[in-house]
Each structure stands twice: as C-alpha cells, then as structure tokens.
Amino acid sequence: MVSYTKRLFAGVAAIAALGMGLVGCGSSSGDSSASSNADASKDSGEVVKITYMHRLPDNEGMTTVDSIVDQWNKDHPNIQVTATKFNGNASDMIKKLETDVKSGNAPDLAQVGYAELPEVYTKGMLEDVTQYAEQYKDHFAEGPYNLMQVGGKYYGLPQDTGPLVYFYNKKAFDELGLAVPGTQEELIAAAKKAAAAGKYIMSFQADEAGNMLTGLAGASSNWYTVKDDAWVVDTDTDGSKAVAKVYQELLDSKAVATNPRWDPSFDASLQKEELVGTIGAAWEAPLLMQSIGDSGKGNWAVAQVGDWFDNDGKTGPDGGSGVAVLKGCEHGKEAMEFLDWFNTQTDALISQGLVVATSDTDVKTPDSWKEYYGGQDIMAEFVKANDNMGDFTYIPGFSAVATAMTEAASKAASGKGTVADIFAAAQTTSIDTLKDYGLSIAQ
Amino acid sequence: MTTPTRAAMKGRGVAKRSEAVKREERTGWTFMVPFCLLFLIVFVVPIIWAIYQSFFQQVATGGGAYGGGTLENKFVGLANFQYVITSKAFWSGIGRVFIYTVIQVPLMIILALALAMLMDSFIVKHVSGFRLLYFLPYAIPGVVASIIWVFLYNQQISPIVKFCELFGLHPDFFANNVVIGSMANITTWTFTGYNMLIFLAALQAIPHDLYEAARIDGANGWQIAMKIKLPNVRGAALLAMLLSIVGTIQLFNEPQVMQTADPGISDSFTPMMMALNTSRGSLTPKGDGPASAIAIVMALIAGVLAATYALVERKVNES
C-alpha cells in the first residue's frame, strides 16, 4: 500500500512539474502584451499600458531603449511603456508579429521597415491611426512621414531613414591619387585604376542586392506605381539599366569586390585595406567603424553618391524604419503620443546609430564618429543625402522580390549570370508575389 | 472432486490478478500521462494542424492595390500540393539533399564503424578518453558548429586555406560544386562520434566467448573483426543509417548558417529551408498553406525512403 501511494505521489509530482514547465513556457512567450491589454481595459482612464517591440542594437556605449523609455515612464505616470528587444532579423520578427496579431497578443507598437510596411498592412497587422498622426506631421521629415502610410491612411510614425551614401578610405584614395568620382565614366576609370593596384573602391554585395540595388535604381525613378487601384510594375527602368551597366562592367573587369556584406570576409577585406570604398546606407556608419576596427580610425570619410547611375545627383533608400501601431492596440492615442516623443529623442536615437527622421535638421554627429571619420560632420552629410532621396514605393510581398534578386545577384557575382538578370528576376517575382497576395495588377 | 476446486481456484486467481493488473495498468497510465500529453500537444496536434492548413491559401480579398488590409483563408483544395509537386525549386532542393545523403551518410557510417572497431580492438588503450574525444563535436549544437566552420572555410581568415596555400593550393569551400561537400564535412564532423557510440555499444554487447572460441580455432584479430564483429553490428548499422538518412533529409542548419557567407545558397536550397522561407513570405507563393504542403510532401518522401531502405536491408539480411 505504501508503495502504491508513493507511486501515485510520484506520478502527481511528475504531472505537477510538467504543468509548471508548460506554464513557464506560456507566460514567457505571451507576456509582451496580453497582460497589458487586460490591465489597461480593467482600469481604463487611469494607467494605460503600452508595449513596444524594437530591433534597435542597444550596444555598449549607446543610450539604451530601456533608459529612454524609463525617462518617459517617470514623466508620464498614466502612460506606462514596456519596451522589448527582438533578438533576430526582420523577417523573423514580422513572422512572430503576424502570429501574435492572429492570436490577439501582439505588442501595441513595433518597428517595421518602410519596405515591409505595405506587406504588413496587406497581412492585416496594422491599426489605422490617421486621426492621431496628423498633429505630429510637422515633427518629422515629409518623405519618411509619408512612408508610414498605405493607400492614404497612416499607421505609425517614422523613426530613421537609410539614404545611400558613399563611404571611402580617404588616406588610401590619396595614396592611389584618386578623388571621389563624380560621373559614371570617372567611377569606372577610378575603379579600374584602383583594381590595378589591388584595391577596390566599389563592392557588389549579393546578399544586399534586394535592398541596395533597388535603392540605387530607385534613385532615378519608381519601379512600382498605382494606377486605378492596380499595380504597374516596371523594374527595368533607365535607373535599373544604368545600375546593371555599371556593375556589369566593374564585374567583367574585376574592378569590384564581391564579398557578401554580412560575411566575415567583407570585414577582413576592409581591415586589409583591399576594399577602400563602398556604397552603403547611412545607418552603416557605426557598423563600418566596428568592421574596420581601430586601424582605419581617422582615415575614412563619407561622400554623396555621385552621378554614377544616371541618377542625376539623387540617391535612393536602403532600409530605414518606422514604428507602426499594430492591430488590436486599444490605446492608439496614447501609443502615438509616446511614439511622437520617442522618435524625436534625437540624441539618444543617434547614439543607436540612426539617422533620425525628424524635421529637426540640426543634428549633432557623436564625437566618436567624428573622430573616426577624420573630423567630418557626417550627420550633416547624411541629412543632405536624406533631403536628396528619391521617393520609392514598395509593394506588398517585396521580401520575396528581394530574395529573388539576391539569388540572381550571387549568380552575377560568380559570373554565371548578368546584373541585368537581377532586374529581370525582380520583374517576374514582383508579378508573382502580387498575384499570390490576390492584388490587382495593371496590364 | 478435483475439477470444481480447480475451477474455483482458477476463478479466484483471475479475479485477484485482474485487480492487480488494473492497479498496475492505472499506475502505468499515470506514468504515461506526461508523455502522452506532450506527444499530443507538440507532435500530433501540430501535424493535424499542418495537414489542415495545407488546403488553404491566404489572399487579400479587399481588392485594389493593397487589398483592404486583411488576408482571408481561402480553401484551395490540392492547389498547394500541386504547386509543390510541380515546383522546380522544390525538386532541385530534394535533388541536392539526395546527392548530399548519398555522399555523406555512407562515408560517415563507414568512418564511424572503423573508429568503433578500432576502439573495440586491443590496439587502443584508454578507450574512454578517445570515446569522449570523438563524441565531443556532437556536444556542440549544430548551429554553433556551422558558424565555426564558416570561419574555417573563409577565404581570407581560414587557417585551413593558409595551410593549403603553403602547398600552392587555393581551395574555395564556397564554390558552387564544392559547397555541398563543405556542408557534408560539417555534418560528418559532428555526427561521426555519435554513430561511433552506437556501433561501440553494439560491439561491446557481443559475447566474448565467441572471440575465445575463434582464437582457439586459430582466427587472428582481423578475421575476428571481419567474421564475427561485423556481422553482429548489422542491426546497429541499420539503425544508424536510418537515423542519418532521416537527419540528412532535414538538412537545414548548415546551409542556413552558410547562407550568410554565400548568398549563392538560395532560400530554397533544401526543402526545409524552402518551407521556412515560404512561411516567412520571402518566397512566393507565400504563407503557411504552401509551407505546410512542402513539409508534408517532404515527410512523405522521407518516409518512403526510410521504409524502402529498411525493406531492402531486411531482404539482404534474409538471403
């Protein structure tokens, strides 16, 4: 009998332990917002709880998101915000949010890239906050502000922008007797001259093709336009043709580095001073500092992308995000109030490596950046690029287009395909993905 | 006289036993409950859900350029399966995995078997030390192992490449035809020790009388290994092969990690990657419907392959 009780007890204990395990799992995955919504509705009008999920770096030396949010919480006892950092890449975060929205426990606010916003909208993940957005319009630059709208309705506020600029090693340029090229011919000539000395002043990054080549091509004209509520897709614009021509010539004459951007070999070639110039998004400035390391300190500089791709002096977007209000958010007004405050915390956000999207153009370059980039006020350079950025509209399903472009670009990099194939792949995939979403396409 | 007594005793015995059996059954099931619950929640239910989902697609029904802001689940019958079966990307993925399996599995099994035999022979002293050493790579999670190897394969910083350059060789581990071999190498490095353990356990279960008898009959070490040990680990070999085939068909960690270093590894490089990226929406058609269909078709193929292998193995063993 004793043994039976013992056995029974053991069984019960085992189940209890299991139960605890399950409870543990449940609460950790859902705590982001389910509880806050419930709390907020219980004592409505008193303390509103807002949850915010971001992907900002929060690295050492930066003003962390939590500390910015703490400041807000101290000043606003009635609107309490909890920020959660998502450790993973953008597409994983979108997938997670998609599932969260479906199960009704998504955060109120989430970081969403401009290129992803239409897709996220079509997936039914956004809450219309047009009525609250209007009053904050003046706080943000017009271009980015409008990137947070889909079909005339607004879904959040912009945070940062990613204009493409040119990063180069000034010291190495001087040694080669080169200046930053102004025209297409100068660029190709300079690249060939550098290549003859075993250096590259341009990089062809297959893994970033979907973002960067789109931006470069988009500097001169849009790929996607809406006509009578249907999409007109043309990825073979003059801009695309120019990008294809230039990169093809550089690839053919082996005058361009082909290391993927996020592979350790990219960093290695920067450190060895093989790669001495590359087009990059403004937000790459602190990342490049890390990649190059102390050896390049003081040697690097930032310039505008020249008139290299028939872009008429304009540049294009690569990345940049806003913060969107997600479906199911019960306190749109308070969420937007916080968002307006948070996205205008210029100094703190700059420390996170962002080129802020505020209308305030008087932004300071952090001292450590200034020191690294040879005393240059690179923020001013970024703001200039930002003002000079062409408008670009992304379609829902653009992530599939970017994937197809990456695949084609890696073939082009290894000589198995051409750069023009990348834009051809973009065309067919754009049509396919729009069809798959059930959206209208103009013939 | 004897018959009724016996019947009565029998009856009583049955009654007694059934009570004991019931109690034991109860206890047994109590112990089974945690397993059954978990099995149901994390295995059976998701599979049923995946099968259900595979008949749907998510489309915007609102019309216009942006589709009204909601996606609806639309029943599409077998359209998702039709897509998978006619998809070129899917079959090239299966093809890659197949090539990979054909190269990697036999190589690893033979290597593991050889190591186990060596370990079981009298040549090696300090078996436990070696056993641990060979098993160690398995203790490193697959993703971490892949990251380590990405650095070891890297053109600019790899010590392996530097070593090869001493001999005038310039290996490119990410070249189009080489990359599968590079992945196979990571898997082999990780799992050889694990499979070796399976073989070693089987070898050590062989009664040592057999060796003694063989020695008395004049067999040498080599003959013992070939004629006694090898036939006796057939069961273990079958198990190791089956586990490896199922494992390699799910090839995912290595290509997923190596993709950062080599964008030439596409999002549909292996069926597993294709399923993941389809559900994320970075491949078109997107969504959980087509992704589930990919997973189901792949599971069927893996099942058929494993069953075929087991059948063939049995046939060979019988003859």
Side-chain angles (χ1 to χ4, degrees):
Chain A
M1 211 49 213
V2 174
S3 73
Y4 176 67
T5 334
K6 243 187 200 166
R7 267 180 284 171
L8 190 69
F9 181 72
V12 171
I15 294 167
L18 188 75
M20 281 191 285
L22 286 175
V23 169
C25 289
S27 66
S28 72
S29 64
D31 66 353
S32 50
S33 104
S35 55
S36 79
N37 276 351
D39 286 357
S41 55
K42 216 188 291 166
D43 41 32
S44 59
E46 289 179 20
V47 179
V48 171
K49 292 195 173 176
I50 303 286
T51 46
Y52 164 41
M53 184 172 277
H54 66 92
R55 262 187 315 111
L56 296 175
D58 263 354
N59 284 344
E60 232 183 84
M62 297 176 172
T63 313
T64 62
V65 173
D66 280 342
S67 65
I68 311 174
V69 168
D70 282 346
Q71 186 61 43
W72 164 273
N73 285 342
K74 220 183 280 166
D75 299 345
H76 299 79
N78 290 332
I79 306 174
Q80 292 292 301
V81 179
T82 321
T84 326
K85 179 172 160 61
F86 182 80
N87 290 307
N89 60 28
S91 59
D92 287 336
M93 177 156 155
I94 300 287
K95 183 73 194 165
K96 178 196 159 40
L97 293 175
E98 194 182 344
T99 338
D100 284 354
V101 168
K102 267 187 210 154
S103 58
N105 60 1
D108 300 300
L109 297 168
Q111 180 178 342
V112 176
Y114 299 129
E116 299 153 353
L117 195 83
E119 187 164 329
V120 168
Y121 167 80
T122 302
K123 283 181 173 176
M125 293 160 62
L126 299 181
E127 191 79 49
D128 181 2
V129 286
T130 314
Q131 50 169 327
Y132 309 119
E134 193 68 20
Q135 55 183 304
Y136 304 122
K137 192 178 178 182
D138 296 341
H139 300 181
F140 299 95
E142 195 191 336
Y145 177 78
N146 284 328
L147 283 172
M148 291 310 288
Q149 56 93 39
V150 176
K153 295 219 168 74
Y154 289 80
Y155 297 93
L157 293 172
Q159 190 166 67
D160 75 312
T161 63
L164 286 164
V165 291
Y166 185 62
F167 295 93
Y168 69 106
N169 186 329
K170 202 161 183 294
K171 194 175 141 234
F173 264 59
D174 290 344
E175 281 165 14
L176 289 166
L178 292 174
V180 176
T183 64
Q184 203 176 86
E185 291 73 34
E186 281 172 29
L187 174 76
I188 291 170
K192 285 180 178 167
K193 189 175 170 194
K199 311 241 174 205
Y200 300 112
I201 62 159
M202 286 284 274
S203 65
F204 181 76
Q205 307 164 4
D207 53 347
E208 278 291 313
N211 305 317
M212 192 191 284
L213 298 188
T214 312
L216 288 174
S220 43
S221 58
N222 235 316
W223 282 2
Y224 307 114
T225 43
V226 178
K227 198 177 144 198
D228 301 334
D229 258 1
W231 287 102
V232 183
V233 178
D234 178 16
T235 66
D236 197 24
T237 56
D238 290 343
S240 307
K241 282 179 187 139
V243 172
K245 189 185 134 208
V246 171
Y247 273 109
Q248 194 62 57
E249 176 147 14
L250 293 178
L251 283 168
D252 290 345
S253 52
K254 300 209 180 308
V256 61
T258 53
N259 307 92
R261 174 64 181 90
W262 307 111
D263 180 43
S265 69
F266 187 87
D267 294 358
S269 62
L270 283 170
Q271 284 158 15
K272 283 189 199 163
E273 293 201 358
E274 259 171 32
L275 181 60
V276 295
T278 177
I279 294 174
W283 47 263
E284 286 185 70
L287 300 180
L288 286 170
M289 279 162 58
Q290 274 179 358
S291 294
I292 302 162
D294 279 344
S295 63
K297 201 174 194 170
N299 297 341
W300 282 73
V302 177
Q304 302 296 319
V305 172
D307 190 15
W308 303 336
F309 308 103
D310 297 350
N311 46 334
D312 206 15
K314 283 203 153 228
T315 189
D318 177 354
S321 325
V323 178
V325 182
L326 296 189
K327 191 160 271 181
C329 169
E330 288 172 9
H331 304 284
K333 184 172 172 288
E334 289 83 355
M336 287 293 279
E337 197 182 330
F338 162 73
L339 198 50
D340 172 57
W341 177 86
F342 186 87
N343 283 358
T344 48
Q345 297 305 300
T346 331
D347 290 343
L349 291 175
I350 289 176
S351 86
Q352 292 273 353
L354 304 185
V355 180
V356 287
T358 60
S359 52
D360 176 16
T361 49
D362 183 29
V363 285
K364 270 208 312 267
T365 306
D367 289 341
S368 59
W369 298 16
K370 212 172 213 169
E371 198 184 339
Y372 200 93
Y373 290 94
Q376 191 186 0
D377 183 9
I378 59 170
M379 257 315 160
E381 205 67 44
F382 293 155
V383 169
K384 193 173 155 197
N386 208 16
D387 294 340
N388 203 17
M389 188 159 63
D391 281 338
F392 195 82
T393 314
Y394 294 93
I395 51 165
F398 183 76
S399 47
V401 180
T403 305
M405 288 176 72
T406 297
E407 205 177 329
S410 91
K411 285 197 183 118
S414 62
K416 283 191 159 181
T418 64
V419 183
D421 292 345
I422 303 171
F423 299 109
Q427 180 75 20
T428 50
T429 314
S430 298
I431 303 279
D432 286 351
T433 191
L434 285 170
K435 272 190 194 151
D436 181 53
Y437 272 93
L439 304 173
S440 330
I441 302 164
Q443 294 309 318
Chain B
M1 254 314 269
T2 47
T3 327
T5 328
R6 216 180 264 167
M9 275 174 67
K10 204 177 172 186
R12 227 185 306 152
V14 168
K16 253 190 176 171
R17 206 168 56 221
S18 83
E19 209 173 90
V21 164
K22 260 188 203 161
R23 204 172 64 197
E24 246 171 57
E25 267 181 2
R26 255 201 318 262
T27 324
W29 278 111
T30 321
F31 275 108
M32 282 290 282
V33 166
F35 166 76
C36 287
L37 263 180
L38 273 183
F39 186 71
L40 211 69
I41 294 169
V42 305
F43 199 77
V44 178
V45 172
I47 287 180
I48 294 173
W49 180 241
I51 293 173
Y52 171 78
Q53 272 189 323
S54 67
F55 297 109
F56 290 87
Q57 261 172 25
Q58 294 180 310
V59 286
T61 48
Y66 292 98
T70 43
L71 288 184
E72 261 172 53
N73 253 348
K74 196 175 95 185
F75 181 79
V76 292
L78 294 171
N80 289 333
F81 290 96
Q82 192 197 346
Y83 152 67
V84 175
I85 289 166
T86 54
S87 160
K88 222 181 107 201
F90 177 76
W91 289 108
S92 3
I94 290 278
R96 280 185 209 109
V97 168
F98 187 74
I99 294 170
Y100 178 86
T101 310
V102 166
I103 301 171
Q104 195 264 336
V105 174
L107 225 127
M108 175 180 66
I109 295 294
I110 291 169
L111 201 65
L113 186 59
L115 278 175
M117 295 274 242
L118 206 64
M119 215 66 96
D120 191 53
S121 72
F122 300 102
I123 305 168
V124 180
K125 305 262 162 32
H126 313 298
V127 171
S128 52
F130 279 101
R131 202 169 46 194
L132 182 69
L133 214 64
Y134 286 124
F135 186 67
L136 219 51
Y138 183 70
I140 297 170
V143 175
V144 179
S146 304
I147 293 173
I148 296 173
W149 278 99
V150 164
F151 280 95
L152 287 174
Y153 288 153
N154 187 299
Q155 280 289 311
Q156 263 121 330
I157 49 183
S158 162
I160 300 176
V161 174
K162 280 195 185 124
F163 181 75
C164 289
E165 276 169 358
L166 291 180
F167 304 98
L169 296 168
H170 300 279
D172 178 6
F173 294 106
F174 293 108
N176 264 304
N177 306 317
V178 185
V179 81
I180 284 193
S182 304
M183 286 173 203
N185 175 50
I186 303 177
T187 318
T188 311
W189 178 78
T190 312
F191 285 95
T192 303
Y194 171 78
N195 286 305
M196 182 205 72
L197 273 197
I198 298 182
F199 285 126
L200 198 58
L203 282 171
Q204 285 174 347
I206 301 170
H208 280 225
D209 316 7
L210 286 176
Y211 304 155
E212 241 166 75
R215 284 203 181 280
I216 290 167
D217 285 348
N220 60 25
W222 177 252
Q223 283 169 319
I224 290 175
M226 287 295 128
K227 300 260 163 73
I228 298 174
K229 289 183 178 178
L230 208 51
N232 271 301
V233 293
R234 266 199 167 168
L238 172 65
L239 177 72
M241 281 292 242
L242 269 181
L243 288 178
S244 303
I245 290 174
V246 173
T248 47
I249 280 182
Q250 300 177 4
L251 182 62
F252 177 76
N253 285 345
E254 291 84 356
Q256 181 73 24
V257 170
M258 286 171 73
Q259 197 182 30
T260 53
D262 179 12
I265 297 171
S266 67
D267 269 12
S268 50
F269 192 81
T270 76
M272 275 286 270
M273 283 177 75
M274 189 174 169
L276 174 78
N277 288 312
T278 300
S279 93
R280 275 174 171 176
S282 52
L283 288 174
T284 184
K286 55 90 199 46
D288 294 340
S292 300
I294 294 171
I296 290 164
V297 173
M298 194 177 75
L300 288 177
I301 293 173
V304 167
L305 274 182
T308 316
Y309 177 78
L311 273 178
V312 170
E313 171 79 19
R314 191 178 296 166
K315 275 271 157 62
V316 171
N317 270 358
E318 272 168 10
S319 64

